[in-house]
Amino acid sequence: MNKQELIDIVAKKNNITKALAGKILATVAETVIETVKKDEKVVMVGFGTFCQYKRKARNARNPLTKKIQVVPESSRPKFIPGTAFRNAIDPTFIEKCKEAGRNTK
């Protein structure tokens, strides 16, 4: 599904214009990006959490020259699906977690 298809579905399900649905979707995306950029989490209960993942600086070897290079610290966006989302995709998710002794929140 692409952005336009998502806009069409949001407009149809909420009985609003496609233009308004597009503005709403753009506002949500913009707000998530701005919030995560400030190193804050965006939690949508049942859907998931958007957050920032910081990668530590590390040494890496260049495969061509075999020289060791320092890869600087960096930040990446991360999405952690919520339990309801994961369970919708894989209905056996909660049972698998319980068998493995993991907390499903």
Side-chain angles (χ1 to χ4, degrees):
M1 174 182 296
N2 63 32
K3 183 178 177 180
Q4 190 57 50
E5 291 169 337
L6 183 58
I7 289 170
D8 293 344
I9 290 171
V10 170
K12 188 175 182 180
K13 284 191 174 188
N14 293 287
N15 199 23
I16 58 176
T17 65
K18 290 180 184 179
L20 180 58
K23 287 180 184 179
I24 292 169
L25 185 60
T27 302
V28 169
E30 181 181 308
T31 304
V32 169
I33 291 168
E34 289 173 358
T35 304
V36 172
K37 189 175 180 180
K38 292 187 280 187
D39 201 18
E40 297 175 15
K41 292 182 180 182
V42 176
V43 179
M44 299 171 129
V45 177
F47 183 70
T49 302
F50 295 91
C51 58
Q52 194 177 113
Y53 170 72
K54 296 197 185 295
R55 296 182 70 177
K56 295 179 183 177
R58 64 192 187 284
N59 293 328
R61 187 178 306 272
N62 183 325
L64 295 176
T65 64
K66 308 293 186 214
K67 289 184 180 179
I68 294 179
Q69 299 174 320
V70 176
V71 178
E73 181 180 284
S74 64
S75 297
R76 300 284 187 265
K78 184 176 183 180
F79 175 72
I80 304 165
T83 303
F85 186 9
R86 287 182 280 187
N87 199 37
I89 302 300
D90 180 8
T92 62
F93 169 73
I94 292 179
E95 290 84 32
K96 289 177 186 176
C97 288
K98 287 179 182 175
E99 289 172 7
R102 293 192 326 230
N103 184 5
T104 57
K105 295 183 184 177

